[in-house]
């Protein structure tokens, strides 16, 4: 009996051992499976990181290549800039004068820049504009020739006289009109007022020794020709007749200065384009012409009335760039 009990006890211990061993085996198997899964996940993560690293290395190589290429391009551009001729400027000053509301600013901008919107203009004491006229290559230097146009407000003629006295002026544009602001017909009283403004005693101050020495041309522009009727030649004759006293006073200086009279309309563009060509012809040295400027002047002279045409200009071999207009602040 005791033997049977002992056997049962031994069997029970054996079964417990087997159960314990089975449970331990299961835990070990599960731990091994989890470890394999973690290892696979780490391996996948490692492969992904290696792929990202490879992409980053390739991108870095590209960036280094781009930087090398950019550096080479910068060095090339620097070398090209060193080869290019230096630019210097030659400025020619033109002064615009006239009583208030004669259309000075409209006229100034019309001949300097035909595309200007005249509806946005407002009267000021003085505005200055720069118009690039030509670019000429001289050895290793590009000479930029520029018109600087000073547009004086009508009530500041005395101030303009001070500029004439103190500065070197290359051209003078005197603007008068046939009628005041929004005029529908010729206004004789206004014409007489402007003739009085530029009477001989006043003109003496405009044409002092310094002006006579530096000024290449004086233009009287009779504006608002649209107030007259007739053919262009008839309108020109009528306008000049109305301003005969002023024209005669100006012509007294014709032995010292080039005096010209234009009749036109700033609002409608009549004869305004001829001003640019005239100032170029009278002020700019012939060696300062470029090909584009020559083409522009040939076009202007071909469109001018017979009375306004001048001697054709010689063809020159020069470099050219588009002209530009800028306001001087």
């Amino acid at each position: 009996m005791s033997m049977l009990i002992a056997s049962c006890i031994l069997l029970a211990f054996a079964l417990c051992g087997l159960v314990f061993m089975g449970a331990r085996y299961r835990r070990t198997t599960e731990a091994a499976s989890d470890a394999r899964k973690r290892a696979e996940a780490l391996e996948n993560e490692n492969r992904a990181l290696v792929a990202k690293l490879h992409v980053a290395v390739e991108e870095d190589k590209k960036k280094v290549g781009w930087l090398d290429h950019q550096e080479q391009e910068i060095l090339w551009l620097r070398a090209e800039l060193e080869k290019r001729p230096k630019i210097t400027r030659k400025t020619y000053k033109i002064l615009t004068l006239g009583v208030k509301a004669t259309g000075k600013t409209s006229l100034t901008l019309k001949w300097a820049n035909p595309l200007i919107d005249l509806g946005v203009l407002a009267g000021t004491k003085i505005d200055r504009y720069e118009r690039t006229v030509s670019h000429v290559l001289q050895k290793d230097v590009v000479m930029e020739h520029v018109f600087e146009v000073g547009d004086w407000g009508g009530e500041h003629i005395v101030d303009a006289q001070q500029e004439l006295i103190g500065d070197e002026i290359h051209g003078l544009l005197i603007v008068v009109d046939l009628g005041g602001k929004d005029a529908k017909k010729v206004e004789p009283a206004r014409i007489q007022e402007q003739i009085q403004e530029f009477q001989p005693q006043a003109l003496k101050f405009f044409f002092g020794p310094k002006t006579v020495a530096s000024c290449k041309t004086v233009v009287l522009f009779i504006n608002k020709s649209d107030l007259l009727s007739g053919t262009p030649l008839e309108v020109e004759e009528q306008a000049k007749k109305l301003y005969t006293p002023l024209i005669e006073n100006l012509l007294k200086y014709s032995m010292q200065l080039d005096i010209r009279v234009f009749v036109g309309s700033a609002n409608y563009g009549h004869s305004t384009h001829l001003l640019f060509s005239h100032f170029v012809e009278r002020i700019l040295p012939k060696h300062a012409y470029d090909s584009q400027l020559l083409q522009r002047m040939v076009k202007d002279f071909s469109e001018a009335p017979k009375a306004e045409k001048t001697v054709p200009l010689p063809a020159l071999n020069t470099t050219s760039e588009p002209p530009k207009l800028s306001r001087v602040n």
Side-chain angles (χ1 to χ4, degrees):
M1 183 70 178
S2 59
M3 291 292 292
L4 180 59
I5 293 171
S7 298
C8 289
I9 292 171
L10 290 172
L11 181 60
F13 275 113
L15 289 172
C16 288
L18 288 173
V19 170
F20 176 76
M21 291 296 292
R24 186 175 180 182
Y25 175 77
R26 285 194 300 273
R27 289 196 297 271
T28 303
T29 302
E30 290 173 356
S33 177
D34 291 340
R36 283 195 300 272
K37 289 178 180 179
R38 286 196 298 271
E40 289 176 359
L42 290 172
E43 183 67 25
N44 291 334
E45 187 177 348
N46 183 61
R47 282 196 294 267
L49 290 173
V50 169
K52 289 181 179 180
L53 177 62
H54 178 72
V55 171
V57 169
E58 292 300 318
E59 288 182 353
D60 188 60
K61 287 180 180 179
K62 287 181 180 179
K63 290 177 181 178
V64 170
W66 291 339
L67 289 173
D68 289 341
H69 177 73
Q70 190 175 34
E71 185 176 0
Q72 292 174 4
E73 186 175 4
I74 290 171
L75 292 174
W76 180 82
L77 288 172
R78 285 178 179 171
E80 288 298 309
L81 287 173
E82 288 295 326
K83 295 177 185 177
R84 292 187 178 184
K86 295 177 175 59
I87 297 178
T88 59
R89 304 181 97 224
K90 172 66 176 175
T91 301
Y92 309 88
K93 297 188 70 172
I94 299 172
L95 206 60
T96 303
L97 304 172
V99 302
K100 190 174 181 180
T102 54
K104 296 181 305 302
T105 300
S106 298
L107 180 62
T108 297
L109 293 177
K110 200 70 176 179
W111 71 260
N113 180 14
L115 300 180
I116 192 70
D117 180 7
L118 300 180
V120 299
L121 300 180
T124 59
K125 177 178 179 180
I126 184 171
D127 275 327
R128 296 191 187 277
Y129 303 91
E130 285 189 352
R131 167 69 186 268
T132 298
V133 180
S134 66
H135 291 84
V136 179
L137 179 62
Q138 298 174 342
K139 294 183 179 180
D140 59 343
V141 176
V142 171
M143 182 65 74
E144 182 183 37
H145 297 273
V146 178
F147 282 164
E148 181 187 298
V149 186
D151 173 25
W152 280 92
E155 65 273 30
H156 301 284
I157 290 182
V158 174
D159 297 322
Q161 289 176 348
Q162 295 301 317
E163 183 169 359
L164 280 168
I165 295 171
D167 294 348
E168 187 178 72
I169 303 298
H170 300 90
L172 183 61
L173 175 60
I174 299 174
V175 183
V176 296
D177 64 10
L178 297 169
K181 187 177 180 181
D182 301 324
K184 302 300 182 182
K185 61 181 181 178
V186 173
E187 298 176 354
R190 180 171 172 82
I191 293 172
Q192 290 304 313
E193 174 193 347
Q194 293 174 86
I195 291 174
Q196 182 65 26
E197 186 72 36
F198 294 105
Q199 60 181 296
Q201 291 83 353
L203 291 178
K204 286 192 301 184
F205 293 100
F206 288 109
F207 302 133
K210 190 165 187 176
T211 302
V212 170
S214 63
C215 190
K216 304 298 183 182
T217 185
V218 177
V219 175
L220 173 67
F221 193 95
I222 304 174
N223 196 20
K224 303 178 186 177
S225 61
D226 49 289
L227 297 179
L228 294 170
S229 59
T231 66
L233 288 178
E234 289 172 345
V235 167
E236 182 175 340
E237 289 176 1
Q238 292 177 64
K240 288 180 177 179
K241 185 175 181 180
L242 290 168
Y243 273 100
T244 296
L246 176 53
I247 294 172
E248 289 178 346
N249 289 331
L250 286 172
L251 288 177
K252 292 176 183 178
Y253 296 91
S254 60
M255 297 298 292
Q256 302 165 285
L257 295 164
D258 172 66
I259 307 293
R260 291 292 301 273
V261 179
F262 285 85
V263 176
S265 170
N267 285 334
Y268 292 93
H270 300 159
S271 300
T272 56
H273 64 292
L274 298 176
L275 282 174
F276 175 75
S277 295
H278 174 75
F279 283 130
V280 168
E281 183 189 17
R282 295 297 179 180
I283 297 174
L284 205 66
K286 294 299 185 286
H287 66 263
Y289 289 38
D290 63 23
S291 59
Q292 183 169 354
L293 178 61
L294 284 167
Q295 292 174 7
R296 162 73 186 271
M297 293 185 67
V298 168
K299 180 176 181 293
D300 286 349
F301 286 137
S302 66
E303 294 176 353
K306 184 176 180 181
E308 298 288 353
K309 292 186 178 179
T310 58
V311 179
L313 298 167
L316 299 176
N317 292 322
T318 56
T319 59
S320 64
E321 291 185 13
K324 59 187 178 183
L325 174 72
S326 59
R327 185 167 180 167
V328 181
N329 295 322

